[in-house]
Amino acid sequence: MKKYVYLFSEGNKDMKDILGGKGANIAEMVNMGINVPKGFTVSTDACNDYYKNNEELSEDIRLQVELKLKEVELESKKEFGNPHNPLLLSVRSGARASMPGMMDTILNLGLNDEIAANMAKNTNNSRFVYDSYRRLIMMYADVVKGLDKDIFERFLTIYKEQKKYTSDLDLTSDDLIEITHHFKTIYKDNLHEEFPSDVYIQLVEAISAVFRSWNNERAIYYRKMNDIPDSWGTAVNVQEMVYGNLSKNSGTGVAFSRNPSTGEDEFYGEYLINAQGEDVVAGVRTPEPISKLKSDMPDVYNEFISIAKLLEKHYKDMQDMEFTIENGKLFMLQTRIGKRTAPASIKIAMDMYHEGLITKEEAILQVDPDKIDELLHKVFNEQELKIKRVIATGLAASPGAACGKICFEANKAIEMAKNGEKVVLVRLETSPEDIEGVNYSEGILTIRGGMTSHAAVVARGMGKCCVSGASELSIVNNTLQDKNGNVLNEGDYISIDGSTGNVYFEQISLEEPENSDLFNEFMTLVDSVSKMEVRVNADTVDEAKKAKEFGAKGIGLCRTEHMFFSEERIFDLRKMILAKTTEEREKALDKLIKYQMEDIEGLLKVMAPLPVVIRYLDPPLHEFLPKTEKEINDLAKSLNLTKEEINIRINELKEFNPMMGHRGCRLAVTYPEIAVMQTKAVIQAAINAINDGYLVKPEIMIPLIVDLKELKFVKNIIVETANRLIKEAGVDLEYKVGTMIETPRACIISDELAKNTSFFSFGTNDLTQLTYGFSRDDASKFLNSYYDKGLFNHDVFATIDEEGVGKLMQSAIASAKKVNNNIELGICGEHAGEKKSIDFCYRIGLDYVSCSTYRIYNARVAVAHASINNKKLS
Amino acid sequence: MKKYVYLFSEGNKDMKDILGGKGANIAEMVNMGINVPKGFTVSTDACNDYYKNNEELSEDIRLQVELKLKEVELESKKEFGNPHNPLLLSVRSGARASMPGMMDTILNLGLNDEIAANMAKNTNNSRFVYDSYRRLIMMYADVVKGLDKDIFERFLTIYKEQKKYTSDLDLTSDDLIEITHHFKTIYKDNLHEEFPSDVYIQLVEAISAVFRSWNNERAIYYRKMNDIPDSWGTAVNVQEMVYGNLSKNSGTGVAFSRNPSTGEDEFYGEYLINAQGEDVVAGVRTPEPISKLKSDMPDVYNEFISIAKLLEKHYKDMQDMEFTIENGKLFMLQTRIGKRTAPASIKIAMDMYHEGLITKEEAILQVDPDKIDELLHKVFNEQELKIKRVIATGLAASPGAACGKICFEANKAIEMAKNGEKVVLVRLETSPEDIEGVNYSEGILTIRGGMTSHAAVVARGMGKCCVSGASELSIVNNTLQDKNGNVLNEGDYISIDGSTGNVYFEQISLEEPENSDLFNEFMTLVDSVSKMEVRVNADTVDEAKKAKEFGAKGIGLCRTEHMFFSEERIFDLRKMILAKTTEEREKALDKLIKYQMEDIEGLLKVMAPLPVVIRYLDPPLHEFLPKTEKEINDLAKSLNLTKEEINIRINELKEFNPMMGHRGCRLAVTYPEIAVMQTKAVIQAAINAINDGYLVKPEIMIPLIVDLKELKFVKNIIVETANRLIKEAGVDLEYKVGTMIETPRACIISDELAKNTSFFSFGTNDLTQLTYGFSRDDASKFLNSYYDKGLFNHDVFATIDEEGVGKLMQSAIASAKKVNNNIELGICGEHAGEKKSIDFCYRIGLDYVSCSTYRIYNARVAVAHASINNKKLS
């Protein structure tokens, strides 16, 4: 017979898979000799068995529960269901990963009329006993039978009104006996059965109900959000009840072994004397700080302090503990790794490292890479935020907070910002021309678009706060409206939080983040264990400077098209695109080369002596075409064409599926003069920088390659143009030529490509699109259905799909290495800044990840994590 | 030293790779004892060496040429460059594959002033000698020096005018001496050097020039069109000159061992007495039928007949021979497999098989699968066609010829056709609603779109002639115009040829094809060796009937969306698409199910007992949305919505990249009720058919799968719905559930998918799009550049890309077979009807190919070819 039920003494902290987090930690405490109420854990296996068995507890499980219960009775010297010495039980969920509040709990199990009566007599505390009993009836009805507890609460409210009571505390012992009676009547009237007086039925039904709660709506949603597999199931902890509300010598609360907000090494928490856990949550009474326990019950306090230190040492991390004091006796109910703010996580990790409690590696692993963001971006004043109303919630597309005056047009934003005003740019969606306006804004709010929409990508690159896809809002006649009639005009204040996605229709103060010495020391530790580089995706000198400051070891992706986004430049770019002949195109290119060269020279110099990967023109040309009447008119005038002619050309460039259209290296094949211009710009920039005394490493990257001949064609143009210029200049300049690997076919023929290139950079955005056949711009429309139905549990554009896209990458690397073992391997898709994907990149042997500026710190920490966690592999 | 030069006697017919086709066949004839002018072949290796050596003949090659020339001199008892007994040579190209007229030739090599003078004296035929000499100068200037021969021709014309000659035949011996002199002057004046009197220089330069001609523009173009690798290079045949213009006892011509037009077993060809090959081509004199040679020179004729029979027996195929008779002696200049019409190819193959000359397999291999088309479609009257002018040439999208009155709208076409008129539908591009109009038309002409555009696919499916992408034409105000001002109005006659892409602005008579008994006998042979099935892509009962008649072994793809194309049905479909709630959608689906069920029942019955694969709704929904004002109004009225509301919903459905958007099984995930409806339709149809006594095999196919959970979700809907219906009906019905494999990810996770499906059908259209990142609708815009630059040499949407897409397919099959060895494997993309792709499908072990109706015969023959050619593999 499979073992489904474990006494606490049979478990330990490493058995989370079977016992759940709570059960495993309780077992560990029991083993450490810490006082914990007696009990046992019904395993996650039992949960899965329950579901397999058509949502019924099998005979095996029932039997094992009974046997373990007997042992608990022996230990506790009480008996479940025995009116004269009753054992009361709590039944709590506890999954492998923490899912706070998502699943159900039932307390005071084991009461019935007879037991309650006897207990009231024996304890001489009738009030306490019937308060517990009426709570059991309510919780049982709610959790086991699905009868909403509101019906009981309403009765209680009316009862108190009739008695003119103002608080539960006014209820007398007799009141509670009466209420208990009424609750049983409500139970029967609504459920057409009696509340079960058989305590074993209570127990079996309660365990079953907790298992069922694994699949309640909010638990499913929580798992989806947190990437927790449905298959894990939950464990159930059955434990002797202890009561913090028995006397003035009793109490209950929560404590942390260190301050979770600041990280200071101080005992931290709060408690209530003579209360139950529920009372803390209900907010009826204000809890006291844990320090007060020192004077209330000095012995208990000292015992608690030593337990906390013991647990911290044992777990090598800050602990979050629940406790109850019953008549002066301390019971630990739960301990777990405590959640903390980003600054606290650094402080705690570094302190523990300095204390010698943990190793360098352990200190690094304590800090969640995703939390680092918080240290870099402005945040709203916490006190102020508490009283502000969230009007809408979009996607948390780029972290940080912003507050400023609404502006609906990029040009207007620039103008207002130049006049010293803080501006939030609000757009239906952004397009490349908005980029300068974005730069001048405090933050961006878009009505449409996902986490990888243009606005989101650009904002993350600039470290601007961005909320995207706030579809509850709409833009109507230059006003921003919600569905409840709230309207903001241009110039009104708005606040947006890119870390939560929240939108506020009012002004909120901001606070600056600070980089502490401790943080810098932490990052030094991080780098000392890292075995993969972090580069940046950066297109401007400002971004590059910031990135270098943030620790980027080079530019892994410079999108040359972004260099043409300012008004003057895009005008010349449009002339190039609309050119009818090679001559016209070359004339326009002659103007563009100047911009390109200056920008690249700047980047090379800022980054020197680190490498700079320059990707040639990539997006479908029509992305740059004029859209407004005025833009078309201006262009027509300058090109000596009629508006109609321009429109015809624009129409010719339209594509059904531009993502799979005329873009990437296909542009260089159809218009080799573009590649010639870009090569001249790169090489001349490098020559200028060398002449100014810089050591530069330009790496030219060809996008969207699908074929060997195609690669050779474009590479030939580059090499011929570059070598001629270098020879003419007589300088010593080495450059690399490499390719993006972003189509399935490039992965398949990677050996051929590797023979002809110095580096690969995986473009996992496009690779994911093509491997799945998901258009990033459209997929959100149907992917929600996939999430809702549990078919997908994460966004494949955020975290690399290891099973599919990852397989292609792995086989591409294996084939490439066979023919060119020195090939440099990187990644520059959005995945490069995400911790799980970074771990994958490490495992498949990439040399670097290249992410947007404000994800560099996250990435550096994630790389360190990967380096530590995969030590055995490397 | 590598061997670069081969005496004819050193080669044989299997050495085409080295000697080229012409050289190898000449060698073979020499070995057979047939009289061929002496000579040698400079190999294709020498050609490649020439290009590697910076377009210069290496010393090795020159030396070998000299040595072999010596041997030819010994054999011929003449000496190259010896004025007293001169050997004259022809230098002709000859590549591995036939490239008629694409490369250069120089005749009469070895003449200079001294030799000519002596020869004139010795032969007593000064006219002949100087006529040869002046031709040499002209050809040499043209081919070796790039001096256009027009300049010589113009001189000749003026000379004749001055002399008042009407024909070259009027030129006297003295005239030709003078002309030769003038030609040398023209040569010197234009090229600033003397015509080389050194005959070795002539020879070396001539060989080099022929090698160079491998890379002239028309040769490159021809190779691209015919999929001939650039790397093959050409060989050069250097051969003693023989003259058909020496006397009345001389002549030259071309003959076929059987009639290449009808296939009749009769000696066929034409010749000219006292003439050179050029004269035949120039059309100055009308050649005589070869039968006349019987009376002119009976001995020669009989010798020729026996050589022809010998060659035919030897090569086991009909021969196309060039010959020259010099003073009554027959020289064979070339022999090769003769090109023939489709009817002739069947006739010849079957006759030779009946004669016992060739085996069944050899007979089958003689017939090109691509030619079969010609036997099925109407063709223009050949005589009439000769005098018609081609106005424009589009893509030969669907074979056959059509003539009718122009109509620009589908509804109008239906109306006119119902009035008994023959109509050609002319559209900018077609959309699904046009399908009924297409059905009523003789053929379709579109201005936009490629070989796999909607119009092309639909037309091929219906066996309608289609010319697509005729971009030289434009539709302006309901008229069709070319660029020269030719205009056709609605109702005017137009003729289009879907086998050539030609468009004529006038009426041309059509002729019906006939299926002969011989053809049927041939197809029986074909099927007797075939080891892979051919199914059809068919959506209507009419198509299915036709397909069964053509030999389809089932339906491999029924596109259920096509069943909704008629006016009434698309209206209900639109209501379903625009439904706001599940209830609304289900209501609309209730109307659609009737259509779907009736259609499927029809297909199952027609095909019984063969399998019918029914693919669930696949295209992005917006493809079916109303486009015209009227359609929108009608829909609004019927749905009780405002026009604006409809437009909003239409806009919501718009996608940036619909090909990678909300389509395929994604529709079934978001709207499971669609899959429920389709399953009900399929299963109820099958039940009805069974009740009517039919044996049916429905196979339900889920499109666009990317993930295992997705597959299971949709499959569950199907299985639950189907099994319930089957149980209710109490019938014995087996059905299969399978999936399209059309995304790279499906290939990668094919083992997981194979565990949960009964069959795979490769959708190589989408798979190619995604593997390359090529949108089929847009790629033509840039792929032309790829063809022009030699980067691609075939259309990856026409022939499977074995290196990329093929690799994905192979690995998908390997993984799938490991877990489900019984899985049925097919292909239903456009590639399934193309011979090279069919060969690939055979090699990777597919069970069937499924193509459009009018490609079934081609496919059956191609499958037979694959079965024979890969015999060793199976």
Side-chain angles (χ1 to χ4, degrees), chain A residues 318-495:
Chain A
M318 186 262 273
Q319 294 299 299
D320 166 359
M321 301 157 290
E322 289 178 18
F323 65 97
T324 287
I325 304 162
E326 187 183 81
N327 290 328
K329 186 165 185 194
L330 177 65
F331 290 88
M332 298 301 293
L333 298 186
Q334 173 163 348
T335 192
R336 57 184 172 189
I337 308 293
K339 290 218 160 71
R340 66 209 73 181
T341 63
S345 76
I346 301 285
K347 169 83 175 134
I348 292 170
M350 292 309 290
D351 281 357
M352 286 187 172
Y353 171 57
H354 289 143
E355 289 161 20
L357 183 58
I358 56 177
T359 64
K360 178 167 75 172
E361 285 78 10
E362 286 166 340
I364 293 166
L365 291 179
Q366 263 194 19
V367 178
D368 183 347
D370 288 349
K371 285 282 199 173
I372 302 288
D373 260 355
E374 288 180 26
L375 299 170
L376 303 172
H377 298 284
K378 286 186 187 174
V379 290
F380 287 128
N381 177 293
E382 246 180 81
Q383 294 311 313
E384 246 183 84
L385 197 63
K386 280 184 183 162
I387 53 163
K388 303 293 181 181
R389 194 159 68 85
V390 175
I391 296 288
T393 301
L395 298 168
S398 180
C403 174
K405 291 182 174 174
I406 287 196
C407 187
F408 296 103
E409 269 182 53
N411 286 336
K412 192 70 194 292
I414 299 168
E415 188 190 315
M416 285 168 70
K418 282 185 176 165
N419 289 332
E421 299 197 88
K422 293 203 178 305
V423 178
V424 171
L425 184 61
V426 178
R427 302 278 285 159
L428 206 57
E429 59 205 351
T430 65
S431 69
E433 298 104 288
D434 293 332
I435 203 163
E436 207 179 345
V438 171
N439 197 20
Y440 275 94
S441 305
E442 302 300 306
I444 316 134
L445 168 66
T446 70
I447 310 306
R448 294 195 198 142
M451 292 294 288
T452 50
S453 64
H454 178 261
V457 171
V458 165
R460 280 199 293 276
M462 294 183 171
K464 295 277 176 193
C465 144
C466 174
V467 173
S468 67
S471 53
E472 302 160 55
L473 302 176
S474 53
I475 298 177
V476 185
N477 298 329
N478 254 17
T479 64
L480 181 66
Q481 309 189 347
D482 77 350
K483 288 184 174 164
N484 300 318
N486 294 303
V487 178
L488 291 187
N489 292 302
E490 187 165 275
D492 289 346
Y493 273 103
I494 190 169
S495 298

Side-chain angles (χ1 to χ4, degrees), chain B residues 355-372:
Chain B
E355 288 160 21
L357 183 56
I358 56 177
T359 64
K360 175 167 76 173
E361 286 78 10
E362 286 165 341
I364 293 166
L365 290 179
Q366 263 193 21
V367 178
D368 183 350
D370 287 350
K371 287 281 199 173
I372 303 287

Side-chain angles (χ1 to χ4, degrees), chain A residues 652 654 656-660 666 669 706 710 713 745 771-775 777-778 781 786 789 801, chain B residues 652 654 656-660 666 669 706 710 713 745 771-773 775 777-778 781 786 789 801:
Chain A
E652 280 175 5
K654 280 219 177 105
F656 292 101
N657 300 287
M659 201 54 84
M660 300 196 290
R666 296 162 198 176
V669 170
V706 297
E710 180 188 49
F713 178 83
R745 198 169 193 277
T771 304
Y772 276 94
F774 283 171
S775 160
D777 297 314
D778 305 305
K781 281 188 193 162
Y786 279 72
K789 297 186 165 91
D801 155 44
Chain B
E652 280 174 6
K654 280 218 175 106
F656 292 100
N657 300 287
M659 201 53 83
M660 301 195 288
R666 296 162 199 176
V669 170
V706 297
E710 180 188 51
F713 179 84
R745 198 170 192 278
T771 303
Y772 275 94
S775 160
D777 297 313
D778 304 305
K781 281 189 192 163
Y786 280 70
K789 295 184 166 92
D801 155 44

Side-chain angles (χ1 to χ4, degrees), chain A residues 17-62:
Chain A
D17 293 0
I18 300 168
L19 304 180
K22 184 186 282 178
N25 286 329
I26 289 174
E28 190 76 7
M29 287 196 286
V30 167
N31 293 336
M32 288 167 74
I34 293 168
N35 192 35
V36 170
K38 315 296 174 218
F40 56 84
T41 305
V42 189
S43 72
T44 55
D45 289 338
C47 180
N48 287 324
D49 182 85
Y50 169 81
Y51 279 105
K52 248 177 269 164
N53 196 30
N54 295 315
E55 308 205 3
E56 210 165 302
L57 282 190
S58 65
E59 271 311 309
D60 279 3
I61 296 171
R62 287 165 190 250

